[in-house]
Amino acid sequence: MDRWVQSACVLCSNGCGCDIAVKDGRMVGVRGRAEDIVNHGRLGPKGLFGSWQAHRTDRLTQPLIRRHGVLVETDWDTAMSEVVHRSQELLAEFGSSSHGFYTSGQLFLEEYYTLGVIGKAGIGTPHMDGNTRLCTATAAAALKESFGSDGQPACHTDIDLCDALFLFGHNMAATQTVMWARVLDRLAGPDRPRVVVVDPRRTPVAESADVHLAPLPGTNQALMNGLVRAVIEHGWVDHDYVHRHTLGFDELKSTVEPYTPEHVAEICRVSPVDLLRAAEIFGTSQRVLSTVLQGFYQSHQATAASCQVNNLHLIRGLIGRPGSGVLQMNGQPTAQNTRETGANGDLPGFRNWDNEQHVQELARLWKVDPLTIPHWAPPTHAMQIWRYAEQGSIKFLWISATNPAVSLPELSRIRAILSKKDLFVVAQDGFPTETTELADVVLPAALWGEKQGTFTNLSRVVHLSEQAVEPPGEARSDLDIFLDYASRMGFRDRDGDPLIKWKDAEGAFDAWRECSRGRPCDYTELTYEKLRGGSGIAWGPERLYADGHFPTAADYCEDYGHDLLTGAQTTPTEYKAQRPDGRAFLKAAEYLPPHEQANATYPFLCTTGRSVYHFHTRTKTGRSPELRRAAPEPWVEMSPEDAAELGFGDGDVVLVESERGSVKVPVRIGRCRGGVVFLPFHYGYWDVEHDGHERAANELTLTEWDPVSKQPLFKLSAVRIRRA
Amino acid sequence: MHLATYLGLLHGSLRTLAGAFREVAKGHGEEPDVASTCQVLAKRLDGQVEKLGPIVERYGEHRESEPERLHAAEFEQTRSGGVGLLRDLQDLYALASFTDITWTVVGQAAQGLRDKELLDVVSSCEKDTARQLAWLKTRMKQSAPQALIASRE
Ligand code: SF4
C-alpha cells in the first residue's frame, strides 16, 4: 500500500466517507473514515467490495464508432468529430429540440453542472433528464409540493435521536446498509425506538418492526389517507403549528374523512387494528423520523402518497427538530446533485422555470439571452424524452453513465428505440453495457477513483472524492468529455467568450458555488479546501425548517406546485393568491384505484426491487467476485401459500409473464404477501451467453408514470407464472 | 323557469365531455399519461352527472330542440401524431370550457334561488372542471413546441 486517498462511496445514496488504498497506481482497497458524520467509519458490502474492484476489469478503454452496422475502435478525435458533426447538422436542420440528454445519478456535481449549462445555454434544449427520474424524482416532487423546494429536511443524527421510526416503502437493510446499521444500533440499544414499516414484503426491516403494514401494491395513498385521518381524529394534531406554518388543513381533513380504518383495510388488505396502532405511534411519539423510498416512489400515486408522509409531520409539527423530520430518500449516490444542478432538466439552484426572474438570474450569470434558456414549459421528463425519440422528433440522444436498456420499463420498446436508424445515440460509460452495444458512438469514461469531484448524499452532506489512480487506456472523465464537446461546438456567451469558462473539476465547483448563491442549496460556504480532511459537510443548517419557515415565498420557491391527481400545474397567479409566504402546503388527494390490476389472465402483482449485494444494473457490483458470488442470478420471490398452490418448490424454474414480456427465473419461496411476487431489477444480459432477453425484470414492467413526479410505476405489473 | 333548459344543456354536455375523454383515452394509448388522466377525468365526470341527478329531479330538465353543436361522436376519430394529440386536447378544452361556463350560469341561478344543495354541487363540480382545464392546458403547453417545431411527421 502506497497511500490513502480521500473519497466517499458511490454505490448508494448514503455516501459513506472512505479512503481509497493505492498501490503501484492501482486501487487495492477501501476503509471507512471514522471521523465522517455519515458513517462513523463503517462501510457495507457494496462499498467494501463493489467500489474499487471493478475499475480494472472489462473496461471500455477506447472510443468506439459504428461503421457498417458494427462498433469498431477509433480515436477520440474521430469519435468527437462525429458527435459534433451530427449535433451541428441536426441543430441546423431541426433546431435545439432535436437534442436530448439522458444522464445519471452516478456522476459528480461538477459534471452535471457542466452538462446542465451545455444543454440549457449552449444547445437550449428542454429535453434533459437522467435515470434519477427512475429513482428519486418523487422525492424531489414531494419536497417541492409540500415545502416549496427540494432539500432534505432531516439528517443522519435524527436516527440516533428519534423515538419512533417510520419506513415507508423503504427496505433500508437492502438499499443503505450502513444507515441500517445505525438503526440497528438503536434497536439493540437502550431506549429502543418504536418502528413502523410499510412494505408488501416481509423484509428484514419489516421483521424488526413493531407494526408492519403490508398494503396491496398500488394502494399506498389509501393507507396514507387512513393514517392522516386517524391522527386528526384522535386529536394528535399540533393545531398551533398547523395554524402558523401550514396551508390547506381543512381540505386535507375533508379529503381524508372517508378513509376510516375499515375502509382502508378493505382497499389495502391490512388489519384496521394495525393501522390504528401505527397512527397511534405516530401520534403519541415525541420525536418521529420518517424515511420514504421506492415502495412509494415507484408505485401508484407516488407523489400524493409521499406528500402524505410530509403531511403527517406537518400536522404534528414534527419537522426540523432533533430526532424529528422526513428523509425523502434518494436512491442513487449523486442523485441529489442531478437535481440541484439541473442536469435532470430543472433549472440549476432549485430555480423555478415558471419564474421569469429566476431565468433572468441564470441568463445574467451565464451571459446569454434569457430566451436561449428553455422555460416555456416544464422540462421534458425522461419518459417523454424516450417517447419523442420513438416518434422521431428527438434525433440525437446522449446517454451518460447509465444503462437504460436494463433499467427502463418495457425493455423491448427501449431496445427498439435505441436501434432506430434515425436516432443518433452517444453512450458514455465505464463498461460495455446493454446500452453501449446499441449506440452509434461509445465514449470510454473514467470512474470513481479515476477522477476528481464532489457529490451530495441523501442528507445534504457533500464529500470530495479525489482522484486516486489514472483511468484505464484512453478513458477520460465525464467532465473532460463534456468540456471537449463544448469547446468543439464553439458555444459562446454574449460577449463572445467561451460559454463554459472552467477547465477542471475545482473550476466547475466554483462556478456552481456562484450559481447556487442565495438559493436554498447555497454552496458558497464550501470549498475543496474545506472538504479535504475530516468529515463531509452538509450544505445548509444541520436540519432544515427548524423555525417552521419554508421556502414557499412566490419569488423564492422552486415550483408553483401541481394538482396531485392529474399533474395539472398551479399557475403563478393562483400560487401567489394563496399567499404561502413561508408556510408549507398540506397537499391532499383521494385514492384512485390503479390502472394496472391483477386479473384472470395475469393473477399476480409483480413488484421489482433491490438486492443487498448489487447496485443498479450491476455494471460494477457484478464484476466484484464476492458480490457476484453472493447473488449471481435473478429469482422470483413468492409467498409459501402461492407457491404451494401452483405446485412450485424452491429453485423450480418458471416463466413470469406480463402483457409486455417474460423472464425465466428460479422460484425463491419467501417473504411476499399473498398475490404479490418480487423480482430483483439488477440483472441484464452482459454476463450471459444466450441473449434471449429472459432475465431483466423490466421486460415485464409497464410504460406508465406518476402524474406529478413522472416516475415510472415499476412496482405494479400484472403477471402470470408457469413452469418453464 | 328556464333553469330546466340550462340543466338539460349541462346534463347533455357533461355526458358528451365524459364520452370525449374516453375516446381520447382510447385513441392515444401510446401516450400513457394522456390515456390514464383522461380516464380519471371521465370517471369524475360520471360523478358530476350523478350529483346533478337529484337537482334535475327537482327542477326538471328541458332538452333544446335546436340541433346540438357538440357531439361526443366527433371524437371517435381521434387524430394521430404530435399535432393530432394537440388538436384532440384542444377540442377537449373547448368542450370543457363549455361545461365550465354552463356550471357558472347554473351557479348564478342557484344563488338567486338560494338553493344550498345546488350551490354545493356547483362549487364541487366547478373545482373539478377547473382541474380538467388546468390539466389540458398543462399537457398542451408541454407538447406544443415539440409538435409544432421539431416534429416532421
Ligand atoms: S451504505 Fe451505501 S455508501 Fe455506504 S458503503 Fe454501502 S453502498 Fe457505499
Side-chain angles (χ1 to χ4, degrees):
Chain A
M1 221 273 306
D2 302 331
R3 61 201 169 95
W4 291 104
V5 178
Q6 189 179 349
S7 181
C9 175
V10 282
L11 289 172
C12 85
S13 58
N14 207 46
C16 299
C18 69
D19 293 315
I20 305 171
V22 179
K23 178 159 178 55
D24 301 329
R26 307 180 74 167
M27 294 193 254
V28 292
V30 287
R31 67 174 180 197
R33 289 177 65 83
E35 61 272 58
D36 201 274
I37 53 170
V38 172
N39 57 321
H40 298 160
R42 277 175 170 149
L43 291 177
K46 281 184 294 181
L48 282 172
F49 301 115
S51 57
W52 55 277
Q53 288 180 332
H55 81 111
R56 46 180 133 150
T57 42
D58 213 9
R59 292 286 299 276
L60 284 168
T61 52
Q62 240 188 303
L64 308 174
I65 194 163
R66 194 167 293 277
R67 295 271 186 245
H68 311 293
V70 194
L71 283 173
V72 294
E73 292 193 340
T74 185
D75 55 76
W76 273 100
D77 192 49
T78 311
M80 290 308 287
S81 301
E82 176 69 6
V83 172
V84 167
H85 168 71
R86 290 303 285 266
S87 195
Q88 282 170 340
E89 208 176 57
L90 289 169
L91 284 177
E93 194 178 346
F94 298 97
S96 55
S97 321
S98 60
H99 279 52
F101 292 87
Y102 186 65
T103 189
S104 173
Q106 298 169 47
L107 296 182
F108 288 154
L109 180 153
E110 294 77 359
E111 296 168 327
Y112 294 134
Y113 181 58
T114 305
L115 178 62
V117 181
I118 288 175
K120 285 174 221 304
I123 307 271
T125 177
H127 311 319
M128 305 192 80
D129 203 349
N131 65 8
T132 49
R133 187 64 59 189
L134 319 180
C135 86
T136 186
T138 303
L143 293 168
K144 289 185 219 179
E145 294 296 328
S146 298
F147 309 133
S149 171
D150 196 343
Q152 201 65 265
C155 63
H156 271 84
T157 315
D158 292 329
I159 298 172
D160 313 339
L161 301 175
C162 65
D163 58 15
L165 177 66
F166 278 68
L167 297 109
F168 295 98
H170 182 194
N171 183 6
M172 193 193 281
T175 51
Q176 287 90 5
T177 52
V178 172
M179 191 175 185
W180 179 239
R182 197 152 169 170
V183 172
L184 289 177
D185 290 346
R186 288 297 314 281
L187 298 185
D191 280 338
R192 180 189 188 280
R194 291 186 287 176
V195 178
V196 176
V197 172
V198 178
D199 196 317
R201 296 166 67 211
R202 192 158 179 81
T203 61
V205 175
E207 262 160 14
S208 69
D210 298 77
V211 181
H212 172 207
L213 298 166
L216 276 183
T219 65
N220 290 336
Q221 180 67 3
L223 185 90
M224 293 310 297
N225 281 347
L227 281 175
V228 172
R229 182 186 184 278
V231 168
I232 295 176
E233 174 89 3
H234 288 87
W236 291 315
V237 174
D238 180 341
H239 284 286
D240 182 49
Y241 189 93
V242 167
H243 176 70
R244 283 193 295 137
H245 300 298
T246 70
L247 276 170
F249 182 72
D250 292 341
E251 201 186 327
L252 176 67
K253 190 172 170 210
S254 65
T255 308
V256 300
E257 185 48 42
Y259 297 86
T260 59
E262 296 70 31
H263 184 42
V264 172
E266 213 178 281
I267 299 173
C268 306
R269 308 281 164 77
V270 297
S271 128
V273 177
D274 286 348
L275 182 80
L276 283 177
R277 279 176 63 213
E280 187 192 343
I281 293 177
F282 204 104
T284 57
S285 299
Q286 300 303 308
R287 297 180 304 273
V288 184
L289 176 67
S290 293
T291 69
V292 194
L293 197 59
Q294 311 305 7
F296 273 40
Y297 297 168
Q298 295 181 337
S299 193
H300 180 57
Q301 295 192 287
T303 308
S306 305
C307 282
Q308 292 296 350
V309 179
N310 297 343
N311 288 346
L312 281 171
H313 285 266
L314 288 167
I315 62 177
R316 288 226 56 223
L318 294 180
I319 189 159
R321 304 196 190 149
S324 279
V326 190
L327 290 169
Q328 296 280 358
M329 299 286 295
N330 303 339
Q332 290 175 83
T334 74
Q336 189 62 43
N337 305 111
T338 322
R339 278 148 51 181
E340 290 167 357
T341 62
N344 68 342
D346 288 349
L347 293 185
F350 297 159
R351 285 180 177 84
N352 184 348
W353 65 269
D354 211 4
N355 179 335
E356 198 59 40
Q357 290 309 317
H358 287 188
V359 179
Q360 300 275 359
E361 276 171 30
L362 287 176
R364 271 197 302 277
L365 177 77
W366 295 335
K367 297 193 186 148
V368 295
D369 184 338
L371 279 178
T372 313
I373 304 170
H375 64 285
W376 47 81
T380 315
H381 59 92
M383 299 306 288
Q384 190 66 51
I385 290 179
W386 288 90
R387 175 68 178 143
Y388 288 152
E390 184 176 38
Q391 288 177 310
S393 65
I394 286 181
K395 298 170 189 306
F396 177 101
L397 185 61
W398 188 326
I399 300 164
S400 41
T402 185
N403 191 8
V406 178
S407 56
L408 278 177
E410 208 178 339
L411 290 180
S412 55
R413 171 173 174 260
I414 299 306
R415 284 189 292 267
I417 297 174
L418 285 169
S419 315
K420 281 181 59 158
K421 289 245 164 359
D422 63 347
L423 179 69
F424 183 75
V425 178
V426 183
Q428 172 174 326
D429 208 305
F431 300 97
T433 66
E434 294 81 348
T435 301
T436 60
E437 242 173 64
L438 300 171
D440 296 287
V441 171
V442 179
L443 304 173
L447 296 175
W448 174 88
E450 301 163 359
K451 61 181 184 179
Q452 186 187 41
T454 56
F455 62 97
T456 306
N457 81 343
L458 64 93
S459 55
R460 290 176 285 110
V461 176
V462 187
H463 284 105
L464 173 63
S465 179
E466 299 276 17
Q467 179 171 355
V469 298
E470 288 301 317
E474 291 182 31
R476 290 183 185 171
S477 75
D478 298 84
L479 178 66
D480 284 342
I481 300 172
F482 293 142
L483 290 174
D484 186 26
Y485 173 69
S487 105
R488 286 172 188 259
M489 289 293 286
F491 297 130
R492 302 272 146 189
D493 67 14
R494 188 182 264 149
D495 303 337
D497 295 325
L499 174 68
I500 311 277
K501 296 172 178 64
W502 48 93
K503 302 207 155 32
D504 57 13
E506 189 162 4
F509 187 77
D510 288 338
W512 161 249
R513 288 169 59 215
E514 216 29 60
C515 181
S516 71
R517 186 182 291 280
R519 294 299 301 158
C521 54
D522 192 324
Y523 275 68
T524 47
E525 294 290 308
L526 296 173
T527 60
Y528 271 27
E529 216 31 65
K530 279 196 194 161
L531 292 168
R532 284 199 177 105
S535 169
I537 306 171
W539 62 251
E542 188 179 21
R543 290 175 193 85
L544 304 182
Y545 318 136
D547 54 359
H549 191 87
F550 298 90
T552 52
D555 58 355
Y556 188 63
C557 69
E558 185 182 4
D559 203 286
Y560 295 135
H562 301 78
D563 167 38
L564 298 183
L565 282 190
T566 60
Q569 277 158 229
T570 310
T571 65
T573 317
E574 288 162 350
Y575 187 87
K576 283 172 197 157
Q578 303 177 65
R579 299 182 168 277
D581 302 336
R583 287 175 292 175
F585 294 98
L586 295 166
K587 288 253 173 168
E590 65 195 59
Y591 160 73
L592 299 175
H595 176 212
E596 177 107 344
Q597 299 269 3
N599 53 53
T601 324
Y602 298 102
F604 290 93
L605 283 175
C606 175
T607 154
T608 69
R610 280 133 197 87
S611 144
V612 65
Y613 301 110
H614 287 298
F615 176 63
H616 218 252
T617 64
R618 268 179 345 120
T619 46
K620 285 180 198 158
T621 51
R623 288 176 169 95
S624 149
E626 290 85 354
L627 298 177
R628 203 184 154 87
R629 240 178 291 137
E633 289 293 337
W635 67 92
V636 60
E637 201 167 308
M638 56 197 308
S639 74
E641 299 77 34
D642 288 338
E645 199 180 315
L646 293 172
F648 298 150
D650 236 344
D652 287 359
V653 176
V654 296
L655 282 172
V656 186
E657 300 165 311
S658 79
E659 256 178 39
R660 282 121 343 227
S662 70
V663 296
K664 198 164 145 190
V665 286
V667 168
R668 189 182 282 182
I669 295 176
R671 307 164 174 277
C672 286
R673 61 160 298 159
V676 176
V677 300
F678 168 89
L679 282 173
F681 89 112
H682 308 288
Y683 299 85
Y685 304 101
W686 59 265
D687 55 341
V688 281
E689 301 235 316
H690 303 289
D691 185 3
H693 295 141
E694 286 184 319
R695 213 170 173 229
N698 282 318
E699 304 292 347
L700 307 183
T701 47
L702 74 169
T703 303
E704 220 177 295
W705 54 85
D706 180 66
V708 181
S709 69
K710 324 294 187 201
Q711 187 156 348
L713 271 58
F714 290 104
K715 304 271 187 199
L716 200 65
S717 311
V719 299
R720 65 178 170 217
I721 304 172
R722 61 191 171 97
R723 204 174 286 277
Chain B
M1 195 159 59
H2 289 296
L3 178 56
T5 310
Y6 253 84
L7 290 177
L9 198 59
L10 189 54
H11 213 169
S13 67
L14 288 174
R15 289 214 188 101
T16 305
L17 183 57
F21 269 116
R22 292 209 162 86
E23 289 300 334
V24 172
K26 220 172 12 167
H28 292 281
E30 293 198 319
E31 314 295 337
D33 60 327
V34 171
S36 62
T37 312
C38 285
Q39 290 290 4
V40 167
L41 294 175
K43 192 107 192 285
R44 299 179 75 87
L45 277 158
D46 299 345
Q48 292 197 19
V49 171
E50 216 168 280
K51 280 189 195 157
L52 204 58
I55 310 287
V56 167
E57 242 164 62
R58 266 199 291 132
Y59 293 103
E61 75 177 309
H62 175 70
R63 297 288 172 137
E64 277 183 318
S65 50
E66 50 184 291
E68 273 202 59
R69 297 201 192 89
L70 299 157
H71 292 287
E74 283 159 11
F75 283 82
E76 272 168 25
Q77 291 295 319
T78 47
R79 305 167 175 97
S80 65
V83 182
L85 173 67
L86 209 52
R87 290 291 314 281
D88 284 341
L89 294 178
Q90 186 157 345
D91 285 349
L92 284 176
Y93 193 87
L95 265 185
S97 309
F98 183 88
T99 61
D100 183 42
I101 193 69
T102 314
W103 275 117
T104 307
V105 171
V106 170
Q108 293 302 100
Q111 300 269 7
L113 290 164
R114 290 163 181 90
D115 182 335
K116 179 87 180 45
E117 189 193 353
L118 181 53
L119 278 172
D120 284 350
V121 172
V122 171
S123 104
S124 87
C125 292
E126 273 185 330
K127 240 189 242 162
D128 226 45
T129 310
R131 161 183 278 149
Q132 294 157 13
L133 290 170
W135 175 73
L136 286 164
K137 196 172 201 167
T138 299
R139 192 61 179 81
M140 288 171 70
K141 279 178 81 171
Q142 179 201 322
S143 39
Q146 199 70 7
L148 301 186
I149 305 167
S151 139
R152 294 284 193 280
E153 323 153 55

